Each structure stands twice: as structure tokens, then as C-alpha cells.
Amino acid sequence: MSHIPERKEKDCLNCGTIVQGRYCQHCGQENVVLKETFWHMVTHFFYDITHFDSNFFHTIHHLILRPGFLSKEYMIGRRASYLHPIKMYVFSSAIFFLLFFSFFNPSDAVDAGAETPLDAKQRADYIISLQNKLKKDTSNNALQEKIILLQDTTRPFTAKDILDTASNEGFRLNFGNKEYKSFTEYDSTEKTLPPSERDGWLLQLIIKRGIQIDNKYKGRPQEAATKLFEGFFHRLPYLLFISLPLFALILRLVYIRRKHFYFADHGVFTIHLYVFSFIVLLVAFSFDKLQGLTGWNFLDTLQGVVFLGLVVYLYIAMHNFYKQGWGKTFLKFLLVSFISLIMMLILFAVFLIFSAATI
């Protein structure tokens, strides 16, 4: 409550209701004088910030140390002492992605492992891939030179060399069984086929978009890859937001016989799990950066422990929230983990394809 004097008039300035106390019983607005001092504005601001912080840290404390507890508290109606799940998700995800995009650069993802030599199997597979391409384009001297270099096992061959090969070949993004260099070539090929064997309108649209991208980034595969990762990284917030109700749906189906749990209850549980995941990932990323600066190898082990902690946390949270035995919870934990992994792989593939189609 602010310390601004009350108005003598009792009509609410927001909705016109006759106010019976300091706050309007209809809309909740405080019935105080319009003019307030700068000091009142400053103190009100700091009150809001400190009130939010106290709720936030109080909530985070229970979230980390008591898996499933906050979700249960919200479900049974004890909510005033904790930050609302939606506010908590918005705030924590904003902080997470702000730091995430500070930690990671799309070009770093492209360059990661670029200097690591290919092993014998990778070299053999790549030679076969280039030989198949050479059969279609026998006059391509660049391909012939690369095959000779790959066959020379005394010389290391890295992922960077693959990008150089792609630079000579041209960037290829293929959505069909054959490579096309222009719309004219594709349309001509389609006309030679019977109507029943021609591509549908959607596949035609996808293939033509692929041809556009190929021609746009011809000779610049690293730029194309950077654009691809950049688009994908910046869509991650949307991917997670979409996955949230899908994960809640998985829980709803797995616990379908628990009739007193509504979809919203599963949603609140999922939000709390995601917020905890943000914290875990930030800790893991911090260890990764610290290892890069210090070279301390034991931080790899700590990262593994942190990720294992997330798995254990989900298991304990499911047991505490849904109140089933440890054995039954473990079976459902495995089922939820498997289905959610498939769900995330599908979402990643869809968003990656969409990012590739929009670079």
C-alpha cells in the first residue's frame, strides 16, 4: 500500500464505482490523490522491485530444494506467498535467453570442431559421397582433387576442408532425390513425368525455395551455415514456448486416470520444471565458459553431474506432485522422458527446416 493521501471524493476515477475503503471493490484501483511527489514515485518503484525480488527468491528457494512442492502449493490454492508461474516463466526465460545469446554466437557453432580431423570411417563415407557426385559431373576438377586429398591418409582432413569443398561445389540444400540448379531445369524435369508422378504443390514450393537458397549462397557455405544457426538460435524461445503445452499434454495422457489433475495443473508443473531447467542450463553453460578460460577439465564432470541432477529432479518432482509410488513413478518417468525426447526431436527438426527455408 502506498503512503499517498486518499481522495476525499469516493467515486473511483477508473470505473466510477463508489469506493467503500481505500481500494475500489470493483476494479481494485487505489483511491488516492492524482498529484504525487517525485519521492512517492521513487519509493513506490523500489517497493514494487523489492516485493517482486522477495517473492522471486522465496519461490526459487522452494523450486530448487523441494521438487514438485510449488506445483502442489499452487494446485491446492496456497499462492500469495509465491511468484505466479507465468510471471516466473517470463522473467526466468528472459534472463536465460539474454545470457544464452551472450554466451553463444551462431558463428561459434559453425566453427566448433572445424579443425578436428575426420576419422577413417568419416573419410571413407565422404569419399563415397564425392565419388557419387563426380559420376553426375565428371568434368568437376575440384571434386577430383578433393578425392585425391582424402585418399592420402598422411594428410589430415578437417570439417573446414569440407566447407572449402562445398565452396567449390556450391551450397546445396536438397529437398528431393535430385539436385536442380534452376527453376527451368526443375520445371522441365517435371513436365517429362506423368501427372501422377509429379511432385505435389507443397513439395514443388519447398524444392523451388531450396533452389533459391542454393543459388543465393553458391560458393559461400559458411555464410549460409551461420545464417541457418542464427535463425535457429533466435527461434529457440518460440520452440520452448510451443513445447511447454505439448509436454503438459504428455503428462495429461500419462496420468489420464488421475482425474483430479486438470490440464492446467500439468501446465503449472511443466512451467516449474522449465524454470528449473533454465537454472540448470545456465549453471552448465557457466561451467563450459569457465573451462574455456581456465582449462580445468574437472568442470566437464561437474557439467555431467548438473545435467544428471535435472533428470533426477524430474523423477523426484513427479513423485512428490502426483503422489504415486516410487516404482510406478519411475515407469511413468521413463515413458514421459521417451515421448518428450521424440517430441523435442520433431520440434527441432521442424524449426531447423523452417530456419533453412527462411535464410
Side-chain angles (χ1 to χ4, degrees):
M1 183 176 69
S2 68
H3 299 288
I4 305 173
E6 285 189 54
R7 293 174 62 240
K8 293 181 180 180
E9 298 81 2
K10 295 301 180 182
D11 58 313
C12 176
L13 293 174
N14 183 57
C15 66
T17 303
I18 301 302
V19 181
Q20 297 178 0
R22 188 177 181 89
Y23 293 90
C24 175
Q25 64 272 16
H26 184 262
C27 69
Q29 177 165 296
E30 193 174 9
N31 188 36
V32 293
V33 296
L34 292 176
K35 304 297 182 183
E36 58 179 313
T37 65
F38 178 74
W39 176 249
H40 279 139
M41 294 179 64
V42 171
T43 54
H44 188 68
F45 169 77
F46 278 103
Y47 171 79
D48 285 345
I49 293 296
T50 54
H51 180 68
F52 174 79
D53 283 348
S54 63
N55 269 355
F56 179 78
F57 291 114
H58 175 68
T59 305
I60 286 293
H61 173 267
H62 287 290
L63 177 74
I64 295 174
L65 299 181
R66 304 179 70 178
F69 171 78
L70 282 180
S71 305
K72 200 70 179 177
E73 289 283 279
Y74 189 88
M75 181 179 172
I76 62 180
R78 287 199 286 263
R79 306 175 181 180
S81 300
Y82 311 107
L83 193 64
H84 192 278
I86 298 297
K87 288 184 179 179
M88 194 177 185
Y89 178 84
V90 171
F91 179 78
S92 59
S93 64
I95 296 297
F96 170 78
F97 283 109
L98 178 65
L99 295 176
F100 176 80
F101 291 128
S102 300
F103 282 150
F104 292 97
N105 190 306
S107 59
D108 295 337
V110 175
D111 295 336
E115 300 298 333
T116 304
L118 303 183
D119 60 31
K121 184 179 184 306
Q122 290 172 327
R123 288 175 77 110
D125 291 342
Y126 193 49
I127 288 173
I128 294 173
S129 173
L130 293 181
Q131 287 174 338
N132 290 334
K133 290 183 179 181
L134 188 60
K135 290 177 182 177
K136 301 176 183 178
D137 186 6
T138 55
S139 62
N140 193 323
N141 294 326
L143 284 176
Q144 294 173 354
E145 291 174 4
K146 286 298 177 185
I147 292 173
I148 294 172
L149 287 174
L150 279 162
Q151 290 172 337
D152 180 9
T153 55
T154 61
R155 179 191 181 281
F157 199 89
T158 66
K160 186 176 183 301
D161 295 320
I162 294 178
L163 285 176
D164 293 339
T165 301
S167 296
N168 294 325
E169 298 172 19
F171 178 71
R172 307 306 303 168
L173 182 64
N174 304 310
F175 294 98
N177 296 322
K178 184 180 177 183
E179 296 178 358
Y180 301 97
K181 296 181 179 179
S182 66
F183 289 169
T184 303
E185 180 185 354
Y186 175 62
D187 290 336
S188 299
T189 303
E190 284 290 288
K191 288 178 181 178
T192 62
L193 299 173
S196 59
E197 297 181 14
R198 294 175 187 174
D199 296 331
W201 68 269
L202 180 59
L203 185 56
Q204 286 186 22
L205 185 66
I206 293 173
I207 290 176
K208 288 186 176 181
R209 179 56 183 157
I211 294 170
Q212 285 181 315
I213 296 171
D214 292 340
N215 293 330
K216 180 179 179 180
Y217 291 100
K218 187 174 183 179
R220 307 193 316 277
Q222 191 157 4
E223 180 185 348
T226 300
K227 291 284 187 183
L228 172 63
F229 278 103
E230 187 177 85
F232 180 73
F233 277 4
H234 285 88
R235 289 183 176 91
L236 279 178
Y238 304 105
L239 186 153
L240 288 180
F241 187 75
I242 291 173
S243 72
L244 199 154
L246 293 177
F247 189 88
L249 179 60
I250 292 171
L251 291 172
R252 179 73 181 90
L253 295 175
V254 170
Y255 287 97
I256 194 167
R257 297 179 64 184
R258 310 281 286 181
K259 302 298 184 182
H260 61 287
F261 285 98
Y262 293 96
F263 185 82
D265 299 324
H266 301 295
V268 170
F269 178 86
T270 303
I271 289 174
H272 287 144
L273 175 65
Y274 273 43
V275 173
F276 181 79
S277 301
F278 291 149
I279 298 171
V280 167
L281 290 173
L282 285 178
V283 172
F285 294 156
S286 300
F287 284 157
D288 182 66
K289 285 297 179 182
L290 187 59
Q291 183 187 18
L293 294 173
T294 62
W296 295 340
N297 292 327
F298 73 89
L299 291 174
D300 270 341
T301 304
L302 288 181
Q303 275 186 284
V305 171
V306 168
F307 284 120
L308 179 62
L310 177 58
V311 175
V312 174
Y313 181 92
L314 173 58
Y315 174 46
I316 297 175
M318 288 175 63
H319 171 266
N320 292 343
F321 182 63
Y322 294 105
K323 296 297 182 182
Q324 291 187 324
W326 288 104
K328 183 177 286 187
T329 299
F330 182 71
L331 293 176
K332 291 190 174 182
F333 161 77
L334 292 178
L335 182 59
V336 168
S337 299
F338 176 75
I339 298 175
S340 60
L341 176 62
I342 299 299
M343 179 263 292
M344 291 303 295
L345 289 175
I346 293 173
L347 284 178
F348 268 82
V350 169
F351 272 73
L352 192 62
I353 292 172
F354 183 76
S355 299
T358 54
I359 60 175

